[in-house]
């Protein structure tokens, strides 16, 4: 479904490489997480796949078609929700369909279906400033899914939420992922979240951003209805990822973050 | 002052001073209630009028006007002779048309300058310099070009209003949150859709700030032109009464200008709340 081949990225002419020869293939319906320390380029990679940034070299293909920019088979859920404050939840969720030129009645009906699925029907006519962070991100998810993308890109979508809301939304995301054949690329800082949600966890290192190791997670699905944390495999993978990341963090404490030195282009990964 | 635990070691150290008590609400006096505020305002206003009246009774009517004389003038100019209404209509006549034009043109140019860097580079010096120039300095030139009729009013209001609108619109357009623009980009929005669905709504608070500045500039421009060149409308009224030392009458157009200015500002605020309900509700929530 998603095929990333030898992607390099550096910001500016002389900038240090943020991503070096990054290749990754994601199968249809697969849930893949990217995890790594700040500055490992995971958000940069997501933005390249989304079409918001261009790779310095290398190719990205979605469903066999070269992906050269934003396209309607991809949707993004942002870390800071990025809802339009002047639109109600419903109008925010319907945004993608509005851009595609769908009639108001039809797009609002479809957006409403997603809001209902995400438990937001009572808040459809509220503005983002009037609802909680968790609800805002549900609207963000509805806005992404309403255009029925093949590939869902999620950039630390639950990073700005409190722990309880976060866990709740993780469960909901699993339900959605199961009910569709959606392929998901998920960027996160949380090992727990990555293992809980993913079929595969890609651990990235810094200077330059690259894949250090990947882990297949075979824990039984769905994972929200049993204590997956009690499974030996969970503890094993979690421990290994932690020791890899600890080593990465130990190498870099005094060096500036790659992303932060690249002209302030991308400091959020 | 409440004694602090440290100053009185004999007392229980965990006693919380009433000021820091979680359920403490600062006691607010009479001045913080609605009736309190209005009582104070009305009492001071009446006192002011009384002092004014007493002082004015000892001064020549040509130099100073008593409140009672001003009230007579108000009745005369609004009811018996009713010449004030015509003056207001004259002054405001071209204001709405010129101002509407200034907003439409200003938003359009500001938008283009904010979105296309080359255009900004070319136009910015002109816009900045013309914005810095008080429009009233152009009045004689405009009289030569447009005469003293409606065209002059239109040109004056337009020139006073268009530059603040351009500058603020441009600032708003350049200030749009890049993360919101990302949403448009990943949704494959066209440039026109980016502008109508993201850039303009995001810049709306800035545009309104520009319109507020433009409004006061336009009013100044119209009144000054009426006082110096056209000698009609409210400005003309002021000059004519002043020339004949009709001091009490003189206050009436001044009060009328005040009233017009306050009404237009209120209208603008109402419009702002109508067009930006999200902003308003957000503020209310924070205030609660």
């Amino acid at each position: 479904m998603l095929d990333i081949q030898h992607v390099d990225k550096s910001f500016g002419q002389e900038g240090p490489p943020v991503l070096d020869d990054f290749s990754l293939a994601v199968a249809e319906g697969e849930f893949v997480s990217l995890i790594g320390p700040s500055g490992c380029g995971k958000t940069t990679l997501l933005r390249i796949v989304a079409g918001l940034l261009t790779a310095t070299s290398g190719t990205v293909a979605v469903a066999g078609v070269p992906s050269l920019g934003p396209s309607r088979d991809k949707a993004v859920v942002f870390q800071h929700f990025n809802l339009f404050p002047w639109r109600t939840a419903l109008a925010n969720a319907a945004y993608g369909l509005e851009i595609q030129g769908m009639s108001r009645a039809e797009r609002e009906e479809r957006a409403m279906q997603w809001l209902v699925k995400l438990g937001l029907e009572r808040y459809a006519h509220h503005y983002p400033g009037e609802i909680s962070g968790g609800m805002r991100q549900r609207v963000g998810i509805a806005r992404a899914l309403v255009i029925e993308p093949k590939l869902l890109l999620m950039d630390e979508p639950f990073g700005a939420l409190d722990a309880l809301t976060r866990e709740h939304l993780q469960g909901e995301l699993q339900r959605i992922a199961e009910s569709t054949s959606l392929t998901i690329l998920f960027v996160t800082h949380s090992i727990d979240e990555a293992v809980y949600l993913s079929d595969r966890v890609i651990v990235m290192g810094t200077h330059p951003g690259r894949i250090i190791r990947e882990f297949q997670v075979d824990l039984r699905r769905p994972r929200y209805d049993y204590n997956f944390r009690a499974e030996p495999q969970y503890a094993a993978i979690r421990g290994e990822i932690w020791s890899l990341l600890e080593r990465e963090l130990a190498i870099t404490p005094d060096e500036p973050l790659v992303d932060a030195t690249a002209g302030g282009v991308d400091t959020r990964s | 002052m409440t004694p602090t635990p440290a100053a009185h070691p004999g007392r229980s150290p965990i006693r919380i001073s009433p000021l820091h008590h979680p359920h403490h609400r600062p006691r607010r006096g009479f001045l913080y209630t609605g009736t309190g505020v209005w009582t104070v305002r009305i009492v001071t206003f009446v006192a002011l009028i009384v002092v004014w009246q007493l002082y004015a009774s000892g001064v020549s009517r040509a130099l100073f006007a008593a409140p009672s004389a001003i009230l007579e003038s108000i009745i005369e100019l609004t009811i018996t002779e009713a010449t004030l209404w015509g003056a207001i209509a004259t002054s405001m006549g071209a204001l709405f048309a010129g101002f509407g034009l200034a907003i439409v043109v200003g938003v359009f140019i500001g938008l283009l300058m904010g979105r296309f860097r080359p255009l900004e580079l070319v136009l910015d010096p002109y816009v900045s310099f013309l914005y810095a120039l008080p429009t009233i300095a152009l009045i004689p030139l405009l009289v030569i070009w447009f005469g003293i009729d409606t065209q002059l009013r239109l040109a004056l209001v337009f020139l006073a209003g268009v530059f603040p609108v351009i500058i603020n619109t441009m600032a708003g357009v350049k200030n749009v949150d890049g993360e919101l623009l990302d949403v448009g980009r990943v949704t494959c929005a066209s440039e026109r859709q980016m502008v109508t669905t993201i850039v303009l709504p995001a810049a709306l608070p800035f545009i309104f700030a520009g319109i507020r500045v433009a409004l006061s500039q336009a009013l100044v421009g119209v009144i000054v032109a009426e006082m110096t060149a056209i000698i009609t409308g409210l400005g003309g009224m002021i000059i004519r009464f002043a020339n004949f030392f009709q001091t009490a009458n003189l206050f009436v157009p001044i009060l009328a200008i005040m009233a017009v200015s306050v009404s237009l500002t209120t209208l603008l605020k109402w419009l702002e709340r109508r067009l930006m309900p999200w902003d308003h509700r957000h503020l209310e929530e924070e205030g609660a």
Side-chain angles (χ1 to χ4, degrees):
Chain A
M1 171 56 61
L2 171 65
D3 197 13
I4 304 167
Q5 296 264 358
H6 310 294
V7 163
D8 297 307
K9 177 71 186 175
S10 44
F11 290 106
Q13 299 264 304
E14 301 292 314
V18 178
L19 286 169
D20 183 39
D21 196 23
F22 189 102
S23 297
L24 175 70
V26 182
E28 184 172 350
E30 197 179 10
F31 194 123
V32 173
S33 287
L34 300 173
I35 191 168
S38 293
C40 73
K42 52 193 192 296
T43 289
T44 303
L45 182 80
L46 194 96
R47 291 172 71 81
I48 290 172
V49 175
L52 289 171
L53 287 174
T54 7
T56 311
S57 63
T59 58
V60 175
V62 177
V65 183
S67 169
L68 302 168
S71 60
R72 285 181 185 175
D73 48 11
K74 296 176 290 200
V76 184
V77 175
F78 296 88
Q79 181 182 2
H80 301 116
F81 323 139
N82 298 10
L83 298 183
F84 300 122
W86 52 84
R87 284 173 174 250
T88 61
L90 184 64
N92 263 293
Y95 183 69
L97 299 175
E98 183 180 328
I99 292 300
Q100 291 177 13
M102 188 180 281
S103 75
R104 186 191 194 96
E106 196 177 342
R107 68 178 188 245
E108 289 196 340
E109 191 192 321
R110 290 210 201 170
M112 197 63 192
Q113 285 170 4
W114 275 107
L115 292 184
V116 169
K117 265 184 218 176
L118 288 156
L120 283 171
E121 61 271 40
R122 283 179 49 220
Y123 299 94
H125 300 289
H126 284 57
Y127 288 94
E130 302 169 325
I131 58 179
S132 70
M135 292 188 210
R136 283 181 218 172
Q137 193 56 301
R138 283 166 210 254
V139 177
I141 293 171
R143 178 175 66 187
L145 292 176
V146 77
I147 63 165
E148 294 170 5
K150 293 175 186 157
L151 179 63
L152 183 63
L153 304 167
M154 306 184 86
D155 182 12
E156 294 187 45
F158 309 139
L161 302 174
D162 66 88
L164 278 175
T165 309
R166 178 178 247 244
E167 200 146 326
H168 192 69
L169 277 182
Q170 287 165 351
E172 247 167 277
L173 180 61
Q174 271 199 47
R175 268 176 241 268
I176 290 165
E178 270 161 27
S179 66
T180 58
S181 60
L182 207 57
T183 308
I184 301 176
L185 188 62
F186 191 97
V187 164
T188 180
H189 261 123
S190 157
I191 303 176
D192 185 75
E193 181 170 86
V195 177
Y196 177 35
L197 294 172
S198 312
D199 299 312
R200 200 145 49 102
V201 179
I202 312 291
V203 181
M204 293 178 68
T206 51
H207 309 304
R210 66 201 188 284
I211 298 177
I212 315 180
R213 183 110 63 92
E214 56 175 80
F215 294 87
Q216 195 74 33
V217 185
D218 298 319
L219 292 166
R220 175 166 56 84
R221 282 190 187 275
R223 293 173 189 157
Y224 46 77
D225 57 6
Y226 69 103
N227 183 8
F228 70 99
R229 290 190 186 85
E231 300 288 311
Q233 196 196 2
Y234 170 79
I237 292 176
R238 194 182 193 291
E240 274 193 70
I241 294 176
W242 177 244
S243 62
L244 282 172
L245 291 179
E246 208 173 25
R247 216 174 304 153
E248 271 302 312
L249 290 170
I251 307 169
T252 55
D254 294 320
E255 290 180 42
L257 298 180
V258 174
D259 281 357
T261 55
V265 180
D266 182 7
T267 55
R268 281 172 294 150
S269 66
Chain B
M1 273 296 287
T2 315
T4 59
H8 296 264
R11 293 191 181 173
S12 160
I14 54 164
R15 222 183 71 128
I16 304 169
S17 120
L19 279 174
H20 298 114
H21 193 275
H23 299 299
H24 173 77
R25 285 176 154 219
R27 260 194 63 193
R28 289 186 160 177
F30 182 59
L31 283 181
Y32 287 89
T33 62
T35 38
V37 169
W38 283 104
T39 308
V40 171
R41 282 179 183 168
I42 290 166
V43 167
T44 47
F45 179 74
V46 170
L48 182 77
I49 295 292
V50 169
V51 171
W52 183 353
Q53 179 76 41
L54 290 175
Y55 176 75
S57 57
V59 186
S60 154
R61 281 188 69 119
L63 296 179
F64 205 71
S68 57
I70 295 173
L71 192 66
E72 277 169 35
S73 293
I74 291 175
I75 293 167
E76 185 189 313
L77 292 173
T78 58
I79 299 166
T80 45
E81 285 181 27
T83 45
L84 184 72
W85 307 113
I88 291 178
T90 309
S91 292
M92 296 303 113
L95 192 89
F96 286 101
F99 203 60
L101 198 66
I103 292 172
V104 172
V105 173
V107 168
F108 185 70
I109 294 179
L111 196 62
L112 289 178
M113 285 176 70
R115 287 298 279 177
F116 302 114
R117 181 91 180 123
L119 199 69
E120 188 200 342
L121 289 177
V122 173
L123 291 184
D124 190 60
Y126 301 98
V127 170
S128 300
F129 275 79
L130 286 167
Y131 176 64
L133 176 77
T135 318
I136 52 173
L138 291 175
I139 290 174
L141 190 65
L142 295 174
V143 171
I144 295 173
W145 286 348
F146 297 107
I148 55 165
D149 219 345
T150 315
Q151 279 185 25
L152 171 67
R153 291 172 183 279
L154 269 176
L156 197 61
V157 172
F158 176 77
L159 287 174
V162 76
F163 297 107
V165 174
I166 291 179
I167 283 182
N168 279 279
T169 304
M170 185 170 70
V173 167
K174 291 168 77 171
N175 233 294
V176 178
D177 185 354
E179 296 202 2
L180 293 184
L181 293 173
D182 281 349
V183 176
R185 288 171 65 200
V186 299
T187 318
C188 304
S190 65
E191 172 66 18
R192 196 181 59 80
Q193 287 172 323
M194 292 284 272
V195 167
T196 54
T197 65
I198 305 175
V199 175
L200 274 182
L204 213 49
F206 284 79
I207 295 174
F208 266 107
I211 292 176
R212 274 195 297 271
V213 175
L215 182 66
S216 62
Q217 303 263 22
L219 263 181
V220 170
V222 167
I223 300 301
V224 172
E226 286 177 343
M227 289 170 66
T228 57
I230 325 178
I231 324 288
T232 54
L234 292 168
M237 231 178 182
I238 291 177
I239 285 296
R240 269 180 280 118
F241 289 141
N243 286 346
F244 293 102
F245 290 97
Q246 297 176 351
T247 316
N249 280 354
L250 187 51
F251 277 90
V252 182
I254 292 175
L255 289 171
I257 291 169
M258 243 190 252
V260 164
S261 181
V262 169
S263 325
L264 289 177
T265 311
T266 310
L267 182 74
L268 210 56
K269 272 188 197 152
W270 174 81
L271 204 65
E272 212 166 328
R273 249 174 300 167
R274 278 297 299 271
L275 284 175
M276 302 193 292
W278 68 90
D279 217 25
H280 173 60
R281 291 186 195 199
H282 188 64
L283 288 177
E284 260 185 359
E285 209 173 51
E286 274 181 351

